[in-house]
mmCIF file of all heavy atoms in Angstrom:
data_model
loop_
_atom_site.group_PDB
_atom_site.id
_atom_site.type_symbol
_atom_site.label_atom_id
_atom_site.label_comp_id
_atom_site.label_asym_id
_atom_site.label_seq_id
_atom_site.Cartn_x
_atom_site.Cartn_y
_atom_site.Cartn_z
ATOM 1 N N ARG O 40 -19.309 2.376 -12.287
ATOM 2 C CA ARG O 40 -19.157 1.917 -10.905
ATOM 3 C C ARG O 40 -18.280 0.671 -10.809
ATOM 4 O O ARG O 40 -17.367 0.634 -9.972
ATOM 5 C CB ARG O 40 -20.532 1.692 -10.267
ATOM 6 C CG ARG O 40 -21.251 3.010 -9.970
ATOM 7 C CD ARG O 40 -22.662 2.784 -9.465
ATOM 8 N NE ARG O 40 -23.451 2.038 -10.433
ATOM 9 C CZ ARG O 40 -24.607 1.447 -10.166
ATOM 10 N NH1 ARG O 40 -25.101 1.500 -8.937
ATOM 11 N NH2 ARG O 40 -25.276 0.829 -11.101
ATOM 12 N N GLU O 95 -15.215 16.444 -8.727
ATOM 13 C CA GLU O 95 -15.128 17.265 -7.506
ATOM 14 C C GLU O 95 -14.630 16.384 -6.368
ATOM 15 O O GLU O 95 -15.078 15.235 -6.230
ATOM 16 C CB GLU O 95 -16.501 17.843 -7.158
ATOM 17 C CG GLU O 95 -16.997 18.871 -8.160
ATOM 18 C CD GLU O 95 -18.484 19.217 -7.998
ATOM 19 O OE1 GLU O 95 -19.140 18.649 -7.080
ATOM 20 O OE2 GLU O 95 -18.965 20.033 -8.781
ATOM 21 N N ALA O 104 -13.019 3.599 12.125
ATOM 22 C CA ALA O 104 -12.872 2.285 11.523
ATOM 23 C C ALA O 104 -13.266 2.352 10.053
ATOM 24 O O ALA O 104 -14.446 2.220 9.726
ATOM 25 C CB ALA O 104 -13.737 1.284 12.263
ATOM 26 N N GLY O 157 -24.861 -1.544 -25.832
ATOM 27 C CA GLY O 157 -26.283 -1.822 -25.783
ATOM 28 C C GLY O 157 -27.116 -0.562 -25.731
ATOM 29 O O GLY O 157 -26.581 0.546 -25.669
ATOM 30 N N MET O 163 -34.371 4.007 -21.320
ATOM 31 C CA MET O 163 -34.267 4.605 -19.990
ATOM 32 C C MET O 163 -35.572 5.294 -19.601
ATOM 33 O O MET O 163 -36.089 6.112 -20.354
ATOM 34 C CB MET O 163 -33.132 5.642 -20.055
ATOM 35 C CG MET O 163 -32.697 6.197 -18.751
ATOM 36 S SD MET O 163 -31.383 7.409 -19.052
ATOM 37 C CE MET O 163 -30.100 6.360 -19.703
ATOM 38 N N THR O 200 -28.713 -3.984 -18.915
ATOM 39 C CA THR O 200 -29.472 -4.607 -20.003
ATOM 40 C C THR O 200 -29.128 -6.083 -20.173
ATOM 41 O O THR O 200 -29.479 -6.695 -21.162
ATOM 42 C CB THR O 200 -29.192 -3.870 -21.333
ATOM 43 O OG1 THR O 200 -27.761 -3.749 -21.492
ATOM 44 C CG2 THR O 200 -29.791 -2.482 -21.340
ATOM 45 N N SER O 233 -34.462 -12.588 -48.519
ATOM 46 C CA SER O 233 -33.749 -13.213 -49.646
ATOM 47 C C SER O 233 -34.687 -13.432 -50.822
ATOM 48 O O SER O 233 -34.248 -13.448 -51.968
ATOM 49 C CB SER O 233 -33.134 -14.550 -49.238
ATOM 50 O OG SER O 233 -32.728 -14.541 -47.910
ATOM 51 N N PRO O 277 -22.726 -5.641 -43.790
ATOM 52 C CA PRO O 277 -22.372 -6.522 -42.665
ATOM 53 C C PRO O 277 -21.034 -6.177 -42.024
ATOM 54 O O PRO O 277 -20.850 -6.371 -40.828
ATOM 55 C CB PRO O 277 -22.325 -7.922 -43.284
ATOM 56 C CG PRO O 277 -22.493 -7.757 -44.739
ATOM 57 C CD PRO O 277 -22.957 -6.385 -45.035
ATOM 58 N N ALA O 294 -13.373 5.351 -39.245
ATOM 59 C CA ALA O 294 -13.503 5.608 -37.803
ATOM 60 C C ALA O 294 -14.921 6.059 -37.473
ATOM 61 O O ALA O 294 -15.502 5.650 -36.465
ATOM 62 C CB ALA O 294 -12.472 6.638 -37.351
ATOM 63 N N PRO O 300 -21.850 5.762 -32.020
ATOM 64 C CA PRO O 300 -23.187 6.121 -32.515
ATOM 65 C C PRO O 300 -23.552 5.404 -33.821
ATOM 66 O O PRO O 300 -24.722 5.393 -34.195
ATOM 67 C CB PRO O 300 -23.093 7.627 -32.759
ATOM 68 C CG PRO O 300 -21.920 8.100 -31.994
ATOM 69 C CD PRO O 300 -20.965 6.946 -31.960
ATOM 70 N N THR O 331 -27.017 -3.321 -33.722
ATOM 71 C CA THR O 331 -27.676 -4.194 -32.762
ATOM 72 C C THR O 331 -27.267 -5.636 -33.069
ATOM 73 O O THR O 331 -26.955 -5.960 -34.211
ATOM 74 C CB THR O 331 -29.221 -4.114 -32.849
ATOM 75 O OG1 THR O 331 -29.640 -4.761 -34.057
ATOM 76 C CG2 THR O 331 -29.720 -2.685 -32.872
ATOM 77 N N GLN O 334 -29.296 -7.060 -35.902
ATOM 78 C CA GLN O 334 -28.830 -6.655 -37.240
ATOM 79 C C GLN O 334 -27.623 -7.497 -37.660
ATOM 80 O O GLN O 334 -27.517 -7.905 -38.819
ATOM 81 C CB GLN O 334 -28.483 -5.163 -37.256
ATOM 82 C CG GLN O 334 -29.703 -4.257 -37.145
ATOM 83 C CD GLN O 334 -29.351 -2.834 -36.740
ATOM 84 O OE1 GLN O 334 -28.189 -2.504 -36.476
ATOM 85 N NE2 GLN O 334 -30.354 -1.968 -36.670
ATOM 86 N N ARG O 368 -50.207 -4.425 -42.219
ATOM 87 C CA ARG O 368 -51.484 -4.907 -42.775
ATOM 88 C C ARG O 368 -51.985 -3.964 -43.858
ATOM 89 O O ARG O 368 -52.542 -4.391 -44.855
ATOM 90 C CB ARG O 368 -52.527 -5.026 -41.654
ATOM 91 C CG ARG O 368 -52.336 -6.263 -40.767
ATOM 92 C CD ARG O 368 -53.546 -6.508 -39.890
ATOM 93 N NE ARG O 368 -53.802 -5.446 -38.935
ATOM 94 C CZ ARG O 368 -53.268 -5.402 -37.709
ATOM 95 N NH1 ARG O 368 -52.476 -6.365 -37.302
ATOM 96 N NH2 ARG O 368 -53.534 -4.396 -36.903
ATOM 97 N N ARG O 374 -43.720 -7.829 -46.143
ATOM 98 C CA ARG O 374 -43.962 -9.261 -46.058
ATOM 99 C C ARG O 374 -44.087 -9.729 -44.599
ATOM 100 O O ARG O 374 -44.807 -10.677 -44.323
ATOM 101 C CB ARG O 374 -42.787 -9.972 -46.739
ATOM 102 C CG ARG O 374 -42.926 -11.453 -46.980
ATOM 103 C CD ARG O 374 -43.581 -11.843 -48.312
ATOM 104 N NE ARG O 374 -43.037 -11.246 -49.513
ATOM 105 C CZ ARG O 374 -42.117 -11.811 -50.300
ATOM 106 N NH1 ARG O 374 -41.555 -12.946 -49.959
ATOM 107 N NH2 ARG O 374 -41.749 -11.224 -51.425
ATOM 108 N N VAL O 475 -36.429 30.828 -18.958
ATOM 109 C CA VAL O 475 -36.587 31.646 -20.150
ATOM 110 C C VAL O 475 -36.854 30.716 -21.338
ATOM 111 O O VAL O 475 -36.342 29.592 -21.380
ATOM 112 C CB VAL O 475 -35.300 32.475 -20.407
ATOM 113 C CG1 VAL O 475 -35.226 32.981 -21.837
ATOM 114 C CG2 VAL O 475 -35.225 33.655 -19.447
ATOM 115 N N GLY O 546 -21.639 38.121 -30.020
ATOM 116 C CA GLY O 546 -22.449 37.628 -28.907
ATOM 117 C C GLY O 546 -23.921 37.730 -29.203
ATOM 118 O O GLY O 546 -24.436 37.106 -30.128
ATOM 119 N N MET O 613 -31.706 30.058 -55.046
ATOM 120 C CA MET O 613 -30.826 30.255 -56.196
ATOM 121 C C MET O 613 -30.303 28.912 -56.692
ATOM 122 O O MET O 613 -30.203 28.669 -57.881
ATOM 123 C CB MET O 613 -29.642 31.155 -55.816
ATOM 124 C CG MET O 613 -30.043 32.590 -55.596
ATOM 125 S SD MET O 613 -30.735 33.247 -57.132
ATOM 126 C CE MET O 613 -31.413 34.777 -56.569
ATOM 127 N N GLU O 706 -14.229 39.333 -47.811
ATOM 128 C CA GLU O 706 -13.100 40.252 -47.907
ATOM 129 C C GLU O 706 -13.559 41.697 -47.816
ATOM 130 O O GLU O 706 -12.933 42.531 -47.171
ATOM 131 C CB GLU O 706 -12.307 40.005 -49.197
ATOM 132 C CG GLU O 706 -11.337 38.844 -49.033
ATOM 133 C CD GLU O 706 -10.519 38.553 -50.278
ATOM 134 O OE1 GLU O 706 -11.067 38.685 -51.392
ATOM 135 O OE2 GLU O 706 -9.340 38.172 -50.114
#
Side-chain angles (χ1 to χ4, degrees):
R40 288 175 301 165
E95 292 167 0
M163 190 181 295
T200 50
S233 327
T331 72
Q334 290 163 357
R368 284 193 296 271
R374 190 88 52 95
V475 161
M613 289 299 169
E706 278 180 324

